[in-house]
Amino acid sequence: MSQRKQTLGEFIIENQASFKYTSGELSRLINSIRLAAKVVNHEVNKAGLVDILGAAGDTNVQGEDQQKLDVYANTKFIQTMTKRNIVCGIASEEEDDFITINSQDENHQNKYVVLIDPLDGSSNIDVNVSVGTIFSIYRRVTPVGTPVTIEDFLQKGNHQVAAGYIIYGTSTMLVYTTGHGVNGFTLNPAIGSFYLSHPDMQFPEDGRIYSVNEGNYIHFPKGIKDYIKYCQMEEGDRPYTSRYIGSLVSDFHRNMIKGGIYMYPKSSKASNGKLRLLYECNPMAFLAEQANGKASDGFNRILDIQPTELHQRVPFICGSKNMVEKAEEFMRAAE
Ligand SMILES: O=P(O)(O)OC[C@H]1O[C@](O)(COP(=O)(O)O)[C@@H](O)[C@@H]1O
């Protein structure tokens, strides 16, 4: 008889001790993200039936039209984390500035900040293609007892204490790391619980899938163009297969399981690419490295980049180690 799969709640408690700080708070924080994920998942699943599709009518700080589901997910994650007296601050793709959250005793006792992309892959919401949520967690650096400051958010990615994503796809999964490997949990909608379906996820060192918006090809740097040509050549185990969903979470998830590389490089249209360092690239880079993969901007390790702004963008190359190193080789050669 197959062994009963562990629930996410059980896994969190069982692995609490592996965390270097007293981890009750971090466990409660991940539990609150689990709860918000279920609430948002419920809305995503019935998106076509309720008035949640389409634009909300506002634009966010990036100048992007906010989708109704962007706003809904943003509200639900912020509400759920705020109510549980765990976080001292939240930054979100949908919020211009960070939000200060005081502890219930009004003494700024909470120790964690969360950075979140509430709904990743917004362009896919209305067309029923998988989307996601991305989160990144840090321990504050300013003293407990004082309000959180921008300093607490502009920490290098290698200081993250936890990161993860939720993918709202053919099934809904929560995948996360606390620096002890990457584990994936699938939601059983009938029971409403996440179960450990993908223990110790690992990127194959090599893959045969490349994910990039080739519609921007003519605007890409020479190194990226050369690497794409390399992927398409009839040689050895190439050509590779091109797969691009247009949702970072979904492309990353597939490439982590099958082996592959995702690229959102800089271009003559976007000098730093499109993806945001703090709540897209850093969390995915932490997961990638914890799963034996790699993430860089073509030259530098993403997790070593010193952030300077809340919504700054960086070029992003991430996936199977040998494929990322090959792309970096082409970038250096083209310098
Ligand atoms: O449509 P493009 O320019 O290829 O961008 C798609 C990329 O942008 C993203 O949608 C990120 O932006 P959002 O968080 O606003 O959705 C990624 O998920 C995706 O990989």
Side-chain angles (χ1 to χ4, degrees):
M1 189 170 79
S2 66
Q3 203 197 357
R4 183 180 72 74
K5 288 193 173 9
Q6 204 177 19
T7 67
L8 174 54
E10 290 162 343
F11 182 89
I12 290 171
I13 292 164
E14 195 176 285
N15 290 279
Q16 213 163 254
S18 67
F19 192 68
K20 68 180 177 191
Y21 301 107
T22 48
S23 51
E25 288 164 52
L26 182 70
S27 300
R28 284 196 294 122
L29 179 46
I30 294 172
N31 271 321
S32 70
I33 290 171
R34 166 178 66 146
L35 180 60
K38 289 197 260 188
V39 174
V40 171
N41 176 62
H42 186 65
E43 212 59 26
V44 168
N45 282 349
K46 60 182 172 127
L49 302 173
V50 292
D51 180 24
I52 197 94
L53 293 179
D58 296 324
T59 57
N60 63 19
V61 65
Q62 348 262 339
E64 296 161 342
D65 291 336
Q66 285 183 315
Q67 304 297 307
K68 287 180 186 160
L69 212 45
D70 280 325
V71 176
Y72 178 85
N74 189 50
T75 308
K76 286 299 162 201
F77 276 95
I78 292 174
Q79 267 174 2
T80 312
M81 289 189 276
T82 306
K83 280 205 195 111
R84 278 162 182 74
N85 198 27
I86 321 161
V87 291
C88 53
I90 297 176
S92 164
E93 179 181 329
E94 304 308 330
E95 303 284 342
D96 296 8
D97 205 348
F98 64 86
I99 306 165
T100 300
I101 296 161
N102 201 343
S103 48
Q104 275 151 7
D105 61 5
E106 305 290 324
N107 282 327
H108 298 288
Q109 290 305 305
N110 298 336
K111 301 183 186 68
Y112 293 98
V113 295
V114 178
L115 300 104
I116 195 163
D117 177 357
L119 219 286
D120 170 63
S122 310
S123 63
N124 283 326
I125 295 171
D126 293 1
V127 290
N128 205 359
V129 171
S130 64
V131 291
T133 294
I134 308 174
F135 62 89
S136 169
I137 302 172
Y138 293 84
R139 205 155 160 97
R140 65 181 303 171
V141 289
T142 52
V144 169
T146 65
V148 74
T149 72
I150 188 69
E151 219 190 317
D152 294 302
F153 295 92
L154 298 184
Q155 299 186 53
K156 286 185 178 178
N158 54 36
H159 291 169
Q160 288 174 96
V161 292
Y165 59 82
I166 297 108
I167 178 167
Y168 311 101
T170 44
S171 62
T172 294
M173 284 186 68
L174 192 155
V175 176
Y176 81 106
T177 183
T178 57
H180 304 276
V182 175
N183 292 281
F185 301 79
T186 300
L187 179 65
N188 178 335
I191 299 170
S193 293
F194 283 96
Y195 289 88
L196 180 58
S197 53
H198 296 64
D200 193 22
M201 300 181 83
Q202 295 278 320
F203 266 99
E205 295 220 338
D206 284 295
R208 301 194 62 255
I209 294 171
Y210 69 101
S211 311
V212 64
N213 184 342
E214 293 188 67
N216 298 328
Y217 181 85
I218 59 167
H219 302 289
F220 286 155
K222 182 176 182 319
I224 294 292
K225 287 179 179 171
D226 294 347
Y227 179 67
I228 293 173
K229 283 288 159 247
Y230 169 87
C231 293
Q232 296 169 341
M233 275 160 69
E234 299 273 351
E235 202 179 52
D237 65 345
R238 287 165 285 127
Y240 298 152
T241 294
S242 171
R243 287 280 182 279
Y244 189 70
I245 296 170
S247 295
L248 166 63
V249 163
S250 311
D251 283 311
F252 178 97
H253 189 75
R254 183 215 35 254
N255 290 349
M256 180 158 63
I257 292 171
K258 295 198 166 184
I261 185 171
Y262 169 98
M263 301 180 283
Y264 208 108
K266 69 178 188 178
S267 71
S268 53
K269 292 192 300 181
S271 57
N272 284 313
K274 174 186 182 179
L275 301 184
R276 281 49 60 125
L277 174 61
L278 291 180
Y279 42 79
E280 289 172 322
C281 303
N282 270 338
M284 303 313 270
F286 188 24
L287 287 160
E289 291 197 6
Q290 283 291 313
N292 192 32
K294 191 169 181 179
S296 86
D297 63 3
F299 302 96
N300 313 295
R301 182 183 178 226
I302 290 288
L303 296 180
D304 292 339
I305 295 174
Q306 175 55 56
T308 52
E309 290 164 40
L310 213 48
H311 301 287
Q312 75 185 82
R313 302 172 194 261
V314 290
F316 190 56
I317 300 177
C318 180
S320 294
K321 194 178 285 182
N322 296 340
M323 297 181 86
V324 174
E325 286 172 358
K326 180 57 85 176
E328 290 174 329
E329 226 177 89
F330 278 99
M331 289 295 280
R332 281 193 299 276
E335 277 287 289

